[in-house]
Amino acid sequence: MVNSQVTDAVTQTNVTVLGESPSQSMGLVYQSMAQSISLLMQNGVSTQGGMQQINAAVIATACREIMAGPQPAPPRPAPAPEQAPQGNVVIDYRGDTTIAELVAPAPGASTGTSPEPKEELGVKTSEDVEIT
């Protein structure tokens, strides 16, 4: 026969193991969940840091593009001066249009042209042509 004290000790040990096992199981579940959540948070922080680096690079590139944007075109050269018209010029301003008319030269004023060049080029005037 077995001593009653030994039987009581084994029984108490079994009861203790069976009584503590649910709490130990739940403790393991809580520790596993805590580690999973902490890894999730760590990954979130790492991802956010990476996005901040991308954001800084995009802003730097955009600023560089803005600063190196299209340069203004060089100024156009001044147009060549036109020949001054012979005679008097009358300018009539109407709205946004300008009408310039060449008026007959003042009496005694030189027109700057002579008949000799026309004759040299063989240009005929109305006086040279006979109408039949």
Side-chain angles (χ1 to χ4, degrees):
M1 185 145 175
V2 182
N3 189 348
S4 66
Q5 288 181 344
V6 172
T7 307
D8 285 341
V10 171
T11 305
Q12 284 180 357
T13 303
N14 287 339
V15 169
T16 303
V17 169
L18 291 175
E20 291 177 356
S21 64
S23 60
Q24 285 185 355
S25 298
M26 288 307 291
L28 288 172
V29 168
Y30 288 147
Q31 282 183 343
S32 297
M33 180 159 300
Q35 183 171 2
S36 297
I37 291 174
S38 67
L39 284 174
L40 179 71
M41 291 294 175
Q42 186 178 6
N43 286 340
V45 169
S46 176
T47 301
Q48 188 175 10
M51 293 304 287
Q52 289 296 328
Q53 287 179 344
I54 291 172
N55 186 27
V58 167
I59 289 175
T61 302
C63 289
R64 185 181 68 230
E65 290 296 321
I66 290 171
M67 297 301 287
Q71 300 297 324
R76 293 183 180 169
E82 296 182 15
Q83 283 290 65
Q86 300 297 325
N88 298 327
V89 176
V90 175
I91 299 176
D92 183 15
Y93 293 99
R94 294 182 185 160
D96 58 348
T97 9
T98 303
I99 303 168
E101 297 176 355
L102 185 62
V103 187
S110 169
T111 61
T113 60
S114 63
E116 292 82 20
K118 289 182 183 178
E119 291 173 3
E120 290 175 5
L121 295 174
V123 176
K124 295 185 178 181
T125 61
S126 59
E127 297 144 4
D128 298 335
V129 179
E130 289 184 26
I131 302 175
T132 55

